[in-house]
Amino acid sequence: MFTGLIEEKGTITAVKDLGDSVRLTVRGPLVVSDAQHGDSIAVSGVCLTVMEQDTDSFAADVMKESLDKTSLGDLRVGDEVNLERATRAGARLGGHIVQGHVDGTGRILDRTPSEHWEVVRIALPPDLAKYLVAKGSVTVDGTSLTVVEVVDADEPWFSVSLIPTTLAETTLGTKGPGDRVNLEVDILAKYVERLLGARAEGHVA
């Protein structure tokens, strides 16, 4: 489990095509400082398993399912990614419950800067829009954010406000219109939907 609080920006140093998968090598001195083989690290919101590591980098394999459903297949050497180690039991939950299981990708529509923050609008798949609510939580490229507005339309979108820390310390500070981002909706919303659906069908008392 993760919290959506990015620990550092990493850099892709190698992309190796393995046929039905890709091995990414990521430089991230902080997240590998205590990493071991088999540990989980979220790379721009996608939970990956450490296969190899040294003093400042780690390698992880990305399966076809993840390549198809996330933006990791777009990565090239030199690209920056958001990194977070799995949270420890008993640690503070500063963001929200993040699984590292991306539900789909969105595209940045536009950015509106102001004096102290930036409002970013993101288009999302219609089947994910129902899980978002104003003042609720959403994970964008691994970053826990609060939804400002949700618009249900033929082409739904939502907006988030990025504070200076988020702009400076995550990749969301440099992404522009048209860029793809990984989205994970709040798992609690999906559990509620499942329970209400079961009750409507008479499976839950």
Side-chain angles (χ1 to χ4, degrees):
M1 186 185 81
F2 305 91
T3 67
L5 299 183
I6 303 304
E7 296 186 273
E8 70 176 325
K9 286 190 288 186
T11 303
I12 302 297
T13 59
V15 179
K16 184 178 181 181
D17 187 351
L18 301 178
D20 60 349
S21 64
V22 166
R23 173 162 291 196
L24 296 178
T25 302
V26 187
R27 184 181 183 279
L30 175 61
V31 298
V32 298
S33 61
D34 60 354
Q36 298 181 17
H37 178 84
D39 283 354
S40 296
I41 296 177
V43 178
S44 289
V46 183
C47 178
L48 298 180
T49 301
V50 175
M51 304 302 294
E52 300 174 353
Q53 79 277 356
D54 56 27
T55 57
D56 69 352
S57 301
F58 70 95
D61 292 341
V62 186
M63 301 296 102
K64 184 177 186 303
E65 174 79 2
S66 296
L67 293 172
D68 289 343
K69 293 189 175 181
T70 77
S71 65
L72 294 191
D74 301 340
L75 292 174
R76 300 292 181 267
V77 172
D79 287 347
E80 289 188 321
V81 289
N82 294 325
L83 300 176
E84 181 192 356
R85 291 169 289 187
T87 189
R88 289 189 172 94
R92 291 182 177 178
L93 185 62
H96 73 283
I97 297 173
V98 176
Q99 295 184 297
H101 301 160
V102 170
D103 294 299
T105 60
R107 286 193 181 274
I108 294 178
L109 295 174
D110 53 51
R111 308 178 67 113
T112 305
S114 65
E115 185 177 0
H116 298 295
W117 66 85
E118 250 183 77
V119 175
V120 179
R121 288 198 312 135
I122 301 172
L124 76 164
D127 61 325
L128 295 185
K130 62 183 177 181
Y131 297 111
L132 270 62
V133 61
K135 303 301 186 288
S137 297
V138 65
T139 308
V140 181
D141 271 359
T143 308
S144 175
L145 298 172
T146 299
V147 177
V148 174
E149 182 181 9
V150 184
V151 172
D152 290 310
D154 291 337
E155 297 182 356
W157 56 268
F158 69 98
S159 62
V160 291
S161 290
L162 305 183
I163 61 175
T165 298
T166 304
L167 292 170
E169 298 182 4
T170 78
T171 61
L172 297 180
T174 56
K175 294 209 168 185
D179 286 343
R180 282 211 302 166
V181 290
N182 293 320
L183 303 177
E184 181 184 332
V185 299
D186 193 342
I187 184 62
L188 297 179
K190 291 192 282 188
Y191 278 131
V192 169
E193 178 189 49
R194 176 72 170 171
L195 287 169
L196 290 177
R199 175 164 296 187
E201 294 172 3
H203 299 314
V204 177

